[in-house]
């Protein structure tokens, strides 16, 4: 059970006012808010441990290194990776995807196919398009239906021995759809394709078990799960990470350097060139601790309650249409009100202290699919309440009166 009063007290930002009104933060799918425990971990790092890692003989450097590597172990346990060196710290989901896409440059040839789902974030489309341009492989799109669910029959027919890579998101950021990833991974493996799952939108709600999923690559960002921006992780199976070439060259990722030849460091350092976001990595661990203390089952049950409550209330507004009505959904509602541009709704809601996202949510192909310029997206976290949803619905009715 979520003790909502206690949870809300953990988030100092929820006490502030916006435009003279108490903040109602419904833009959690873009970035989540930060609990005091995580803020304190940042303060503690810079107050006590700040030093560069893996290099110094002095105490601070060793302590910072220990904390950073402990965070890696924590993340290994959280995602149930077999080895801690399968956890690569990145600057976020986008970085992780680019790292893998770049690494596959040498493995793809003309005639090879890579499959992407129709409901991807731009960061899980563009790096692969760039990869296909470099290699001559072709990009094929797994279609979705009007509910916002992938067409699994079509996907089954698309798979062949030409398929080398399949990549898709665990949860769609624009629609909230939870994709049947275990089934997708199994099917892709039957034809020998590698699979990358973009977990940025899933990890705030679900605890993925990478060994049970048997996924080859899983990427995510800390800032959508109560952590700081600018840090994330790439999980990769050891055999893949050993095969992939380094992404960036620099310090930290080398074993020996001469002008004639450089040898690379072992995993995970081979993929961690330069001084990393040390504080970010450590604090990512603190964010995962915070969420695990609440419990992911508690989090997703509570958020599901909010989703059902808000969906019912919103559908009572005449002319309101929800995009993304998959059976399996996280607490994201994308919608439009007939005759009103989403941006205008977002602007009026902001005046009332309510933060939502408007636009294409970095998923333009989804908007093209529905033939709309964008949507209003309300995304709920475990610290939101039904009372906030009531205020939101009232505000929407007011906005509708003003705009029509
Ligand atoms: C947010 C998000 C991304 C991008 O994450 P960054 O932290 O901006 O790199 C990618 N995919 C999905 C599904 C997302 O929700």
């Amino acid at each position: 059970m979520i003790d909502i009063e206690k949870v809300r007290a953990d988030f100092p930002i929820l006490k502030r006012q916006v435009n003279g009104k108490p903040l109602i933060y419904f833009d959690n799918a873009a970035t989540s808010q930060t609990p005091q425990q995580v803020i304190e971990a940042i303060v503690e790092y810079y107050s006590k441990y700040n030093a560069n890692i893996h290099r110094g003989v002095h105490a601070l450097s060793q302590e910072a290194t220990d904390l950073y590597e402990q965070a890696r172990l924590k993340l290994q346990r959280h995602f149930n990776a077999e080895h801690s060196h399968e956890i690569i710290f990145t600057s976020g989901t986008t970085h992780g995807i680019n790292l893998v896409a770049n690494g596959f440059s040498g493995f793809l040839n003309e005639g090879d196919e890579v499959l992407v789902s129709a409901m991807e974030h731009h960061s899980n489309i563009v790096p692969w398009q760039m990869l296909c341009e470099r290699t001559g492989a072709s990009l094929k799109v797994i279609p979705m239906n009007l509910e916002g669910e992938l067409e699994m029959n079509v996907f089954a027919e698309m798979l062949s021995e030409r398929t080398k890579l399949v990549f898709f998101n665990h949860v769609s950021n624009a629609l909230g759809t939870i994709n049947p990833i275990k089934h997708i991974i199994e099917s892709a493996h039957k034809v020998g394709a590698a699979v990358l799952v973009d977990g940025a939108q899933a990890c705030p709600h679900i605890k993925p078990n990478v060994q049970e999923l048997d996924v080859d690559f899983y990427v995510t960002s800390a800032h959508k799960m109560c952590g700081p921006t600018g840090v994330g992780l790439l999980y990769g199976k050891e055999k893949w990470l050993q095969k992939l070439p380094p992404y960036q060259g620099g310090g930290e990722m080398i074993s020996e350097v001469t002008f004639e030849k450089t040898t690379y460091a072992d995993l995970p350092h081979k993929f961690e060139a330069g001084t990393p976001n040390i504080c970010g990595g450590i604090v990512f661990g603190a964010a995962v601790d915070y969420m695990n203390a609440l419990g992911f089952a508690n989090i997703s049950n509570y958020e599901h309650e909010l989703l059902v409550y808000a969906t019912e209330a919103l559908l009572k507004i005449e002319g309101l249409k929800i995009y993304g009505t998959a059976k399996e959904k996280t607490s994201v509602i994308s919608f439009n009100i007939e005759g009103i541009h989403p941006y205008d709704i977002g602007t009026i809601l902001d005046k009332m202290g309510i933060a939502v996202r408007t636009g294409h949510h970095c998923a333009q192909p989804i908007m093209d699919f529905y033939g709309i310029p964008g949507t209003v997206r309300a995304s709920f976290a475990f610290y939101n309440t039904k009372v906030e949803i009531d205020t939101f619905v009232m505000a929407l009715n007011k906005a509708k009166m003003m705009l029509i």
Side-chain angles (χ1 to χ4, degrees):
M1 280 277 287
I2 295 284
D3 180 346
I4 189 66
E5 293 306 319
K6 189 162 168 284
V7 162
R8 285 182 70 81
D10 287 339
F11 290 81
I13 209 167
L14 298 179
K15 296 186 187 77
R16 74 160 278 190
Q17 305 233 318
V18 169
N19 292 319
K21 301 276 175 12
L23 167 67
I24 294 182
Y25 187 76
F26 284 172
D27 194 17
N28 294 286
T31 201
S32 55
Q33 292 304 341
T34 317
Q36 191 61 42
Q37 290 84 338
V38 170
I39 297 171
E40 273 161 21
I42 298 171
V43 173
E44 183 175 75
Y45 172 75
Y46 281 111
S47 312
K48 295 189 189 155
Y49 303 108
N50 187 27
N52 210 332
I53 55 171
H54 296 141
R55 288 164 226 195
V57 295
H58 61 83
L60 285 193
S61 173
Q62 285 175 8
E63 286 173 24
T65 303
D66 286 348
L67 289 171
Y68 193 67
E69 292 307 321
Q70 277 164 23
R72 195 191 305 274
L73 291 171
K74 214 175 261 181
L75 293 163
Q76 176 202 353
R77 279 196 298 275
H78 181 75
F79 288 91
N80 194 33
E82 190 178 355
H83 307 289
S84 65
H85 59 250
E86 292 173 322
I87 302 290
I88 310 295
F89 280 114
T90 62
S91 68
T93 303
T94 304
H95 177 190
I97 294 170
N98 277 284
L99 189 161
V100 176
N102 191 72
F104 267 83
S105 296
F107 303 152
L108 293 185
N109 296 302
E110 235 172 286
D112 288 341
E113 292 179 356
V114 293
L115 305 188
V116 56
S117 99
M119 59 174 87
E120 295 307 312
H121 190 283
H122 294 163
S123 73
N124 203 22
I125 301 176
V126 184
W128 306 109
Q129 286 175 323
M130 290 160 67
L131 172 67
C132 286
E133 267 171 34
R134 283 196 299 273
T135 59
S138 54
L139 192 72
K140 298 270 155 92
V141 182
I142 310 162
M144 65 176 194
N145 62 23
L146 281 171
E147 282 74 42
E149 293 171 327
L150 292 178
E151 307 242 27
M152 297 308 291
N153 299 339
V154 182
F155 169 58
E157 284 164 19
M158 290 169 80
L159 287 169
S160 74
E161 73 284 356
R162 287 187 303 277
T163 316
K164 291 296 181 287
L165 259 172
V166 177
F167 47 95
F168 56 92
N169 51 35
H170 193 165
V171 170
S172 156
N173 69 307
L175 304 171
T177 309
I178 304 175
N179 284 314
I181 67 168
K182 186 135 203 246
H183 176 72
I184 296 176
I185 293 164
E186 267 171 22
S187 311
H189 282 170
K190 280 194 190 127
V191 297
V195 181
L196 178 139
V197 174
D198 169 355
Q201 208 57 235
C203 290
H205 315 285
I206 298 166
K207 186 169 172 163
N209 181 332
V210 293
Q211 285 189 80
E212 191 202 301
L213 290 169
D214 195 29
V215 66
D216 301 295
F217 301 101
Y218 195 98
V219 290
T220 199
S221 300
H223 71 95
K224 289 181 181 169
M225 46 189 306
C226 297
T229 55
V231 65
L233 67 81
L234 159 68
Y235 159 80
K237 278 185 188 162
E238 184 184 53
K239 67 162 195 198
W240 274 116
L241 292 179
Q242 271 168 354
K243 231 193 292 189
L244 290 191
Y247 178 43
Q248 291 176 318
E252 188 79 4
M253 53 76 72
I254 47 87
S255 171
E256 256 182 276
V257 177
T258 66
F259 282 108
E260 287 69 44
K261 181 165 175 59
T262 289
T263 51
Y264 304 124
D266 291 335
L267 292 173
H269 307 294
K270 170 177 146 189
F271 292 109
E272 295 183 352
T275 302
N277 184 347
I278 302 166
C279 177
I282 295 169
V283 173
F284 191 0
V288 162
D289 281 346
Y290 179 81
M291 295 198 74
N292 276 316
L294 291 177
F296 277 83
N298 292 330
I299 289 172
S300 56
N301 286 340
Y302 179 77
E303 289 172 341
H304 187 72
E305 241 180 75
L306 294 181
L307 173 71
V308 171
Y309 184 80
T311 304
E312 266 176 31
L314 287 175
L315 287 175
K316 290 197 185 111
I317 299 176
E318 210 179 309
L320 187 144
K321 182 171 160 54
I322 293 179
Y323 297 92
T325 49
K327 280 179 283 303
E328 298 284 333
K329 254 187 91 164
T330 58
S331 45
V332 168
I333 306 181
S334 251
F335 65 92
N336 275 326
I337 298 177
E338 211 181 334
I340 312 180
H341 197 279
Y343 179 81
D344 295 335
I345 295 178
T347 309
I348 291 184
L349 290 178
D350 179 56
K351 297 257 183 319
M352 306 190 209
I354 302 171
V356 293
R357 185 67 170 254
T358 66
H360 54 55
H361 319 298
C362 297
Q364 236 169 333
I366 298 183
M367 303 303 138
D368 294 345
F369 173 74
Y370 288 114
I372 50 176
T375 66
V376 182
R377 181 185 70 186
S379 49
F380 312 118
F382 56 85
Y383 41 75
N384 290 129
T385 66
K386 289 183 185 172
V387 175
E388 287 181 319
I389 292 170
D390 293 340
T391 309
F392 169 58
V393 171
M394 263 186 317
L396 274 176
N397 277 311
K398 219 187 239 176
K400 197 181 149 193
M401 277 195 316
M402 289 165 72
L403 292 167
I404 291 190

